[in-house]
Amino acid sequence: MTRIIQSLSEISVSYDALFCDLWGCLHNGVAAFPEAVAALRAFRATGGKVVLLTNAPRPQAQVRASLDRMKVPHDAYDLIVTSGDAAQDAMFAGAVGRKVWHLGPSKDDAFFTEVPEDWQGRADIERVAFEEAEGIVCTGPFDEMTEVPEDYRGKFLLAKGRGLKMLCANPDIVVDMGERRIYCAGALAALYEDMGGEAFYFGKPHPPIYDLARRRLGGGEARILAIGDGINTDVAGGEGEGLDVLFVAGGLASGQFGPDGDAPDQTLLDDWLQARQRAPRYTIGRLR
């Protein structure tokens, strides 16, 4: 049975660092959540470290700029580690070839143009047309506000026939952009795999992003609490890494646990988690 808490401060003394998700926890893609910001600032004020661990398919500098636009103060976190960071490393290493077709919106161009320091001078990756590609780098639909995965079935049939491998820069299936739910790269990669194609993942719940976060955090054997609203990404990933997990019930699963988003019903919550074979140590309605 997961323990329902009312605030992060109830349990924070037991941890040295947080791996905190962004969408659904700290912001909704449009605006930051003031109570969540306050909770992270309070944790840092006691000496804790906050790593913002996100499946955003962009390098961390781009995510920081987005947080700045939403007026998330820099003193609410120490580090940002993105799925884009981990996936970039794999792409530049040639995981899906040297000539790649980019499936994704133009806002993700930094994935290719902002070369990490480790790859400066040897990042010989070329974006090409689909017909010339050796592999696919997927950061999401071309138009995330209107398109759905099925729109790509025809293209994926051609890609599978050519044996193209897909690098998925964001394993999330959906996120909420304000009041609107949109599909992410993970939904496209899942369809490609269902059709018999091969996809590689580097964000949550997969190990590479956690390995990268630990390296950047440093500090040896820190006691880490993973926080997130994605049952198949944040919770599954944290549990897979042997971390305690705080599940934010008022995010993607909002409405599943009773009418009060700040007070999940224990029975509904336990039944929902059991059906998904997940057991986060703690649950909170919204991060605060």
Side-chain angles (χ1 to χ4, degrees), residues 15-184:
Y15 301 98
D16 305 309
L18 307 178
F19 283 176
C20 185
D21 185 41
L22 291 183
W23 288 70
C25 297
L26 187 57
H27 66 70
N28 64 359
V30 177
F33 302 143
E35 288 186 314
V37 170
L40 297 185
R41 294 176 86 177
F43 181 76
R44 292 191 71 242
T46 65
K49 300 292 187 182
V50 174
V51 179
L52 300 181
L53 195 67
T54 172
N55 273 352
R58 292 170 291 284
Q60 64 89 18
Q62 298 296 310
V63 174
R64 183 184 296 272
S66 296
L67 294 176
D68 288 346
R69 287 193 291 272
M70 287 185 274
K71 297 183 171 19
V72 176
H74 288 184
D75 66 354
Y77 59 92
D78 295 274
L79 299 167
I80 301 171
V81 178
T82 77
S83 179
D85 291 334
Q88 254 194 326
D89 193 61
M91 179 186 72
F92 287 127
V96 293
R98 294 292 170 188
K99 294 184 177 182
V100 301
W101 178 58
H102 177 208
L103 170 53
S106 59
K107 69 178 183 180
D108 295 335
D109 284 352
F111 188 86
F112 301 89
T113 59
E114 292 191 5
V115 180
E117 184 177 346
D118 290 347
W119 290 100
Q120 293 286 342
R122 54 193 187 99
D124 55 340
I125 296 295
E126 181 183 0
R127 277 190 287 178
V128 298
F130 174 79
E131 293 75 17
E132 304 171 49
E134 301 170 348
I136 302 169
V137 173
C138 180
T139 63
F142 286 122
D143 187 344
E144 60 190 12
M145 302 306 292
T146 64
E147 293 181 331
V148 299
E150 281 295 324
D151 293 334
Y152 292 91
R153 182 172 288 275
K155 185 71 80 173
F156 287 173
L157 280 172
L158 294 174
K160 177 191 142 185
R162 290 171 52 197
L164 300 186
K165 296 177 181 178
M166 177 186 290
L167 188 155
C168 175
N170 175 1
D172 283 351
I173 302 298
V174 294
V175 294
D176 291 329
M177 174 75 79
E179 299 299 318
R180 185 169 188 168
R181 185 154 290 188
I182 61 175
Y183 285 101
C184 301

Side-chain angles (χ1 to χ4, degrees), residues 234-264:
D234 304 303
V235 177
E239 290 182 345
E241 293 293 313
L243 304 176
D244 287 350
V245 177
L246 172 58
F247 173 52
V248 179
L252 283 171
S254 179
Q256 298 292 320
F257 315 115
D260 187 351
D262 289 325

